[in-house]
Amino acid sequence: MAIASGVVLGTLARYWMMRRDFRQYPSYPHAVVNHLALGFVAATLGAVAVPAIVAKEYTAVTFLALASTQFREVRSMEREMLGSLEKSEMVPRGNDFIEGIARTFEARNYLVMFIALVTSAVTFRFGVLFGVLSAIVTAFAIKRLMKGKIIKDIANVRSAEFRFEGPNLFIEDVHIMNLGLPEIREIYYKRAKALILEPFDDNAREILANAGQRQAIAHDAALMLGIHRDVDTPEFTPLLRRNTETGRIGMIIVPIEPDEKCLVEAVKNVPVLESAQSNPLASGAGRCASD
Amino acid sequence: MQITITKMIMAAVTCEERKIHGVPVFYARDEEEQERMAVMLSRVMEAVAHDMGNGVYIIVKH
């Protein structure tokens, strides 16, 4: 009974984790099956651990070690798949984003293992009802703990005005790029939207300086609002450029949906990538330099 | 594996002769034609036309 409840609730937890994240999941039915199957394996391994220990079958626990090698495969599988799809994306995710997604996929299997372990242990000791309750509590606790920061937490995002000085595109004081063709500039005047991201502190400034993080923002915004470009018009690739004096970021995008509020919302909800995280304010030199 | 060239000047378009060396140059009769040629080249090369500010467009693959 303990094992069964651990397996079932663990697998359900894997499904729940997949559902709640629309961005990170490409939602192909076959990929869903892949990850559910792996979630099932993880749940089984987690669920048998406690009953095995109680039955003094200590060798069974070594299976957990086997599992970790298996799940490392998941990471490289996701990395390879998303990497090979990069070329066909209008706005690529960038390596940093892909690495973050792949790592999340790996980590979620360990989390499933943990949920299954807790569930089976509690079921074993207190019965099924408490087992189910413990699974729900653990799942919500994990959701809370694993929730990374989003852009809204580190920077103020607001819409801004852009202008052309000759062929050069500026958003307030941030130079974005040089666009030579008048007809392209015309389309920009008609359709483009500009944003400014103002980092709250020095840590945030360094996060936004990361080119991979900026690529992730461009990708997510383009995905949600649609992008007015095709393979032969690279001029309309969304760009985020930095004012090196202030660390402020200017973003220009030519969306299909010209809704500024939705654009700000989309950018605010982009996750802060683990690889972009940096914390200069935690160091003495960083704090001293910040004032 | 596929290899693509990026960050490279694919061509230049200008009205003035003897201004450019080292890259394929396209000469236009007037500014209007120059613009048309720059559009055409950038579409064909899937590249971006940049205005150098001295009567020269460069077509750069990014």
Side-chain angles (χ1 to χ4, degrees), chain B residues 13-46:
Chain B
V13 189
T14 183
C15 299
E16 297 168 55
E17 284 191 37
R18 287 193 292 279
K19 198 162 187 175
I20 304 164
H21 300 280
V23 290
V25 191
F26 293 80
Y27 293 108
R29 256 192 317 259
D30 49 34
E31 274 185 26
E32 198 184 320
E33 193 189 42
Q34 186 187 10
E35 234 178 82
R36 266 207 318 277
M37 286 166 82
V39 171
M40 177 66 83
L41 279 166
S42 65
R43 291 292 161 275
V44 172
M45 310 299 297
E46 295 177 7

Side-chain angles (χ1 to χ4, degrees), chain A residues 16-25 104 108:
Chain A
W16 177 65
M17 283 189 222
M18 226 151 30
R19 300 256 306 189
R20 76 186 156 81
D21 211 329
F22 69 99
R23 261 185 312 247
Q24 304 212 341
Y25 207 71
T104 311
R108 282 184 182 170

